Amino acid sequence: MRAPDVNLNRRRLLIRGGIGALGASALPLAPWLAAAQQEELCVNGKAERTAKQTAGPFHLSGAPLRDDFRVDGMHGEDLTVRGQVLDVACRPVAGAVLDVWQADPTGVYDTKSFQLRGKVESDAEGRYQFLTLKPGAYGSGFVRTPHLHVRVQAAGLRELTTQLYFPEEELNAQDALFRPDLLMSIYKGYAGLSGTFNFVLEPA
Ligand SMILES: [Fe+2]
């Protein structure tokens, strides 16, 4: 029952922080989402590290560096994910590499190639962005609500492996791995879904 509270807090932040954040961010679409989560993360110049989660069985090493993971001919809902990589002192982390993998919209992982997988690098302000398709749920005998797997690596900081979730998914409550602090802020716009999540890495 904690998830609805988190969502509600985020909505309040969106409303309160929206106008002022518009001019302050360089993000091209829905910049207030990143700003809202930033406001939550950084208190007095400090941030809690992002929670770790299991990598699971489907990670493949060697995913290509690219910012569009979509597959020609695969139907699904476009999902742009963006945000910032920070350290626990709320400083942007440039040059962090995010390795992303996920199920396809029907809940199936491609384990023979790199469909819906890729690596992106954060820019000088720690910002990253990638375009993919919203993953489907999966599980037999257990439930995996829709999620993205992400591994973040940056020089001098501890590697982080975690998973990102979607708000207002019915299956969140049935997934034993789901954590409300790993929810993306999601905005549905003309170009599909836009998700925001800011990662916080602790020192190595
Ligand atoms: Fe998974």
Side-chain angles (χ1 to χ4, degrees):
M1 296 305 288
R2 289 165 63 200
D5 295 340
V6 169
N7 290 338
L8 188 60
N9 285 339
R10 291 214 168 129
R11 284 197 200 97
R12 285 196 190 112
L13 285 166
L14 296 184
I15 293 164
R16 199 175 68 227
I19 303 301
L22 280 171
S25 174
L27 291 172
L29 186 68
W32 55 90
L33 291 174
Q37 197 190 48
Q38 202 68 69
E39 189 177 348
E40 270 185 289
L41 275 180
C42 291
V43 179
N44 297 325
K46 291 182 180 163
E48 290 285 318
R49 70 166 174 79
T50 303
K52 301 169 190 170
Q53 293 221 292
T54 176
F58 300 117
H59 180 256
L60 296 179
S61 57
L65 197 64
R66 58 185 175 190
D67 59 9
D68 188 347
F69 308 159
R70 293 175 305 171
V71 180
D72 284 346
M74 186 180 286
H75 294 289
E77 194 166 16
D78 282 352
L79 167 68
T80 302
V81 181
R82 58 172 64 85
Q84 229 176 345
V85 182
L86 304 167
D87 65 14
V88 291
C90 284
R91 293 174 299 210
V93 177
V97 175
L98 292 81
D99 186 356
V100 182
W101 70 104
Q102 63 170 93
D104 71 17
T106 69
V108 175
Y109 282 85
D110 167 35
T111 55
K112 295 184 172 61
S113 62
F114 293 103
Q115 292 191 354
L116 300 177
R117 298 169 185 262
K119 288 178 182 164
V120 290
E121 198 171 318
S122 65
D123 67 12
E125 295 181 324
R127 296 186 188 281
Y128 73 89
Q129 179 173 311
F130 59 86
L131 178 56
T132 186
L133 297 176
K134 186 186 175 189
Y138 62 87
S140 178
F142 62 96
V143 172
R144 288 314 326 270
T145 194
H147 60 278
L148 303 173
H149 292 269
V150 186
R151 178 168 289 163
V152 189
Q153 295 174 301
L157 297 167
R158 184 165 298 179
E159 178 181 292
L160 169 72
T161 300
T162 193
Q163 302 182 31
L164 304 184
Y165 297 93
F166 296 79
E168 296 168 19
E169 290 287 336
E170 279 183 26
L171 291 176
N172 285 347
Q174 297 174 44
D175 186 331
L177 288 177
F178 171 76
R179 289 179 58 117
D181 56 333
L182 295 175
L183 281 168
M184 291 181 279
S185 298
I186 292 284
Y187 166 81
K188 190 170 176 123
Y190 64 90
L193 296 172
S194 180
T196 302
F197 193 87
N198 300 318
F199 296 91
V200 180
L201 304 184
E202 61 185 339

